[in-house]
Amino acid sequence: MALDYEESKQKIIGGLQKKSKSKSKFYFSDLAKILDAKPREAKKIVTQMINEGILEFWSSGSTSMYGLKGAGKQSAAEHENE
Amino acid sequence: MAKHETPLLDQLESGPWPSFVSDMKLEAESRAKNVNNVEFQIPQDVIEDLMGVLELSYKDAETHWKHGGIVGVFGYGGGVIGRYCDQPEKFPGVAHFHTMRVNQPSGHFYSTDFLRQLCDLWEFRGSGLTNMHGATGDIIFLGTTTPQLEEIFYEMTHKLNQDLGGSGSNLRTPSDCIGAARCEYACYDTQDLCTYLTQEYQDELHRPAFPYKFKFKFDGCPNCCVASIARADMSFIGTWKDDIRVDQDAVKGYVNGEFPPNGGSHSGRDWGPFDIQKEVIDLCPTQCMKYENSKLEINNKECTRCMHCINVMPRALRPGKQTGCSILVGAKAPILDGAQMGSLLLPFVEVNKENDYQEVKDVIESIWDWWMEEGKNRERLGELMKRQGFQKLLEVTGVDPIPQHVSEPRHNPYIFWKEEEVQGGWERDINEFRKHHQR
Ligand code: SF4
Ligand code: SF4
């Protein structure tokens, strides 16, 4: 069954805010876990959240991560904020 | 006079090879003169600052780059690698110095006109420094500032019909050998398959949802010019099923010295007359050839398609006519767990354009489904294969075990019977058994 977008969005925002004290960047698998969904299903939700500007990508060049837009330091080095 | 003193860099220029330091100086000078009156969008002296920070890194024996950050253009999770200098006051020109990856055309075919347009764009909006090509195959643009990223992307996609490549936990830019375009050894059309899969998997290329990077590489034959077997999570290596085609007259021609062996590529020195026994027959890794009574015989069943004989006598020998590719999986460089070569998964797959390469896509997608679910963060496919076993890979891809999957017989076997495959399962009535078998 396809996930409901609005509901999933709130879950992700809530999930990331809860952890925002300790870190601001998350692996894709963390997001899939919050949604308790298969990666391909989770990807659809995450992509839409990127397109709406709620989430943003962060990358070290070799690894990619996700964060709530504006959270953490944009130029932070890998693992610097964890 | 140069903006920063760079004695350590200058010393590097004294070696016998072309020097990247000399290249940087050339570009710095060209930007300073600016004969074409380019309205540079990032500092004109960016290269001077780049050399300055590099000199400082050599002196301090540590890097002054911060690794990572923004990934650039809207909607894309790859293609731009954020780089920031940790000494921005000293080197303001490189405070931001982001890398952009440009998806190279398949087989690296482009016109000089196209190259010029790329370079003009990069001179105008970036440092002018490029790397042709990065290890993944992309055209690399080295160094620009954040506001330029969208501008460059717009120009590339709207005027040059060109896309960014992959980086991060994405499908990386697929790359292929020059293949059928210029090479008679090609067993399938590498350009077509590479381009097709690049288009087909745009979502995987630009929106990262993998545990880590994933690379496809396409070699038209086992000569492996893009080294797919050592570098790609999935390597597609051209091969053939039937017999090597032999032109006996041409074989004699080689033996009689009418044609230079190896297409003349070792002709810089006198190696003496061609000796087919020593240079071909004895070097066949499976010892499946012989040359007797002026006739070359090949026991094709034993041939491992190593290409050696064909490379030495291309006029006489050619790959067979029933061609396709082998698919190998799990190669990677040594970051975690040591380097790994690809393991053979499918010895022969038809590479069929007519049905949009369905057979190939089925294998790819079953592997992705497995790895996306089971792979740990930053775990390459090759590491997952090691952790969960090759048998698991066979299971998820629906491939039956075959002898070619076994690298060393009777040693550390990885194919186990499962209970449902064994008649009667693991449980048995011991009393019934004892009726027929004494202790
Ligand atoms: S890999 Fe084979 S087909 Fe491709 S360019 Fe090299 S020799 Fe030719
Ligand atoms: S391709 Fe290699 S293995 Fe096959 S016959 Fe030639 S030298 Fe022997």
Side-chain angles (χ1 to χ4, degrees):
Chain A
M1 206 191 70
L3 298 172
D4 177 69
Y5 177 64
E6 284 305 319
E7 196 183 309
S8 308
K9 183 168 97 179
Q10 293 311 327
K11 265 197 204 165
I12 291 189
I13 296 176
L16 298 194
Q17 277 170 347
K18 215 160 57 194
K19 294 182 194 158
S20 65
K21 285 225 175 66
S22 56
K23 56 180 175 175
S24 63
K25 301 186 180 69
F26 300 84
Y27 285 110
F28 177 79
S29 62
D30 300 331
L31 305 187
K33 227 174 273 159
I34 291 176
L35 292 178
D36 192 21
K38 296 247 176 216
R40 283 185 199 278
E41 286 302 310
K43 184 169 183 180
K44 286 183 203 147
I45 305 287
V46 169
T47 300
Q48 197 170 338
M49 291 178 73
I50 291 272
N51 291 342
E52 288 183 9
I54 303 167
L55 292 179
E56 65 186 355
F57 292 117
W58 183 93
S59 168
S60 67
S62 66
T63 318
S64 309
M65 300 181 95
Y66 292 78
L68 289 169
K69 195 171 175 78
K73 243 172 56 203
Q74 194 45 274
S75 63
E78 197 165 6
H79 302 309
E80 199 172 81
N81 69 333
E82 286 179 18
Chain B
M1 220 203 74
K3 186 170 170 190
H4 309 281
E5 292 291 311
T6 56
L8 295 171
L9 287 182
D10 300 344
Q11 199 277 332
L12 286 179
E13 289 181 280
S14 62
W17 296 284
S19 164
F20 74 96
V21 177
S22 311
D23 285 350
M24 287 199 291
K25 288 183 178 169
L26 210 65
E27 181 62 16
E29 206 184 298
S30 148
R31 284 178 81 91
K33 284 200 191 122
N34 193 15
V35 286
N36 296 325
N37 293 315
V38 178
E39 285 178 48
F40 296 119
Q41 298 297 301
I42 74 166
Q44 187 163 4
D45 60 357
V46 52
I47 313 274
E48 268 100 349
D49 279 354
L50 179 65
M51 290 195 290
V53 74
L54 188 59
E55 179 78 16
L56 184 66
S57 300
Y58 284 177
K59 221 167 82 192
D60 297 349
E62 62 185 11
T63 185
H64 288 287
W65 295 116
K66 291 198 281 183
H67 190 69
I70 50 144
V71 283
V73 305
F74 185 73
Y76 274 31
V80 177
I81 296 146
R83 291 287 180 262
Y84 300 85
C85 178
D86 69 7
Q87 290 289 347
E89 285 86 25
K90 269 195 215 147
F91 308 105
V94 293
H96 298 196
F97 196 74
H98 310 316
T99 297
M100 297 186 87
R101 291 197 178 151
V102 182
N103 191 329
Q104 81 285 4
S106 292
H108 293 157
F109 276 101
Y110 24 57
S111 61
T112 47
D113 182 50
F114 174 68
L115 278 180
R116 190 164 294 119
Q117 290 179 49
L118 277 182
C119 290
D120 285 349
L121 171 64
W122 189 236
E123 185 101 69
F124 173 45
R125 296 200 175 274
S127 74
L129 285 186
T130 64
N131 173 3
M132 297 276 182
H133 294 246
T136 302
D138 305 89
I139 297 165
I140 312 267
F141 283 174
L142 294 165
T144 193
T145 57
T146 308
Q148 295 305 314
L149 297 172
E150 290 287 356
E151 305 282 349
I152 292 166
F153 181 62
Y154 184 89
E155 292 276 315
M156 281 208 310
T157 46
H158 290 74
K159 301 206 179 128
L160 303 182
N161 197 16
Q162 192 63 34
D163 199 4
L164 292 181
S167 66
S169 308
N170 270 321
L171 172 63
R172 299 302 181 83
T173 316
S175 90
D176 64 338
C177 76
I178 203 161
R182 292 189 61 114
C183 178
E184 67 199 48
Y185 296 151
C187 294
Y188 72 96
D189 187 344
T190 52
Q191 326 260 330
D192 195 74
L193 182 58
C194 183
T195 306
Y196 178 86
L197 292 179
T198 305
Q199 304 290 355
E200 178 74 8
Y201 294 128
Q202 282 287 298
D203 191 52
E204 283 73 9
L205 223 160
H206 297 308
R207 283 176 274 279
F210 287 154
Y212 204 19
K213 60 180 98 166
F214 195 96
K215 300 181 180 181
F216 287 152
K217 294 193 193 293
F218 308 89
D219 277 307
C221 81
N223 278 334
C224 245
C225 290
V226 290
S228 64
I229 196 169
R231 307 195 296 157
D233 298 272
M234 273 184 97
S235 341
F236 302 83
I237 304 179
T239 190
W240 61 96
K241 241 198 226 185
D242 50 344
D243 296 349
I244 292 178
R245 287 177 277 169
V246 184
D247 173 346
Q248 295 290 353
D249 288 339
V251 175
K252 272 178 234 154
Y254 278 104
V255 172
N256 297 332
E258 285 162 38
F259 314 123
N262 289 93
S265 54
H266 303 302
S267 53
R269 186 181 135 183
D270 186 7
W271 297 88
F274 177 63
D275 180 342
I276 191 170
Q277 187 65 37
K278 199 169 116 222
E279 292 173 46
V280 180
I281 313 288
D282 291 350
L283 295 180
C284 169
T286 58
Q287 300 288 303
C288 70
M289 314 179 85
K290 62 179 176 194
Y291 187 68
E292 276 170 15
N293 307 322
S294 304
K295 193 160 175 255
L296 180 73
E297 274 180 53
I298 303 175
N299 177 2
N300 279 278
K301 269 201 167 134
E302 292 299 324
C303 165
T304 56
R305 279 77 175 145
C306 81
M307 292 296 288
H308 175 67
C309 58
I310 300 175
N311 289 336
V312 177
M313 306 191 293
R315 214 171 168 124
L317 304 179
R318 299 163 74 184
K321 280 186 172 162
Q322 270 176 282
T323 55
C325 76
S326 302
I327 300 184
L328 288 86
V329 286
K332 62 176 206 66
I335 296 194
L336 288 177
D337 232 20
Q340 230 169 278
M341 294 284 265
S343 303
L344 182 75
L345 179 64
L346 290 164
F348 189 86
V349 179
E350 269 183 37
V351 184
N352 190 355
K353 270 188 229 205
E354 307 301 308
N355 68 357
D356 286 342
Y357 303 111
Q358 197 54 50
E359 218 177 313
V360 171
K361 285 191 293 191
D362 287 345
V363 182
I364 293 172
E365 286 166 25
S366 59
I367 289 181
W368 280 349
D369 282 342
W370 175 49
W371 179 56
M372 284 171 81
E373 267 193 41
E374 298 286 328
K376 294 185 185 168
N377 294 327
R378 314 190 61 164
E379 182 174 57
R380 292 285 287 271
L381 176 63
E383 287 145 4
L384 176 63
M385 282 163 53
K386 263 190 166 174
R387 183 161 65 82
Q388 296 201 344
F390 197 83
Q391 190 176 11
K392 183 76 190 166
L393 174 73
L394 295 180
E395 217 175 285
V396 300
T397 48
V399 174
D400 286 333
I402 46 168
Q404 285 95 325
H405 291 145
V406 182
S407 59
E408 295 158 66
R410 293 168 205 286
H411 170 73
N412 193 18
Y414 56 79
I415 305 293
F416 298 100
W417 295 103
K418 283 200 232 131
E419 183 165 9
E420 62 269 22
E421 291 166 336
V422 180
Q423 217 179 3
W426 297 156
E427 303 296 325
R428 66 180 174 193
D429 183 345
I430 192 71
N431 297 326
E432 183 60 29
F433 180 79
R434 283 291 162 235
K435 277 189 206 158
H436 311 285
H437 304 274
Q438 296 177 11
R439 228 176 231 287

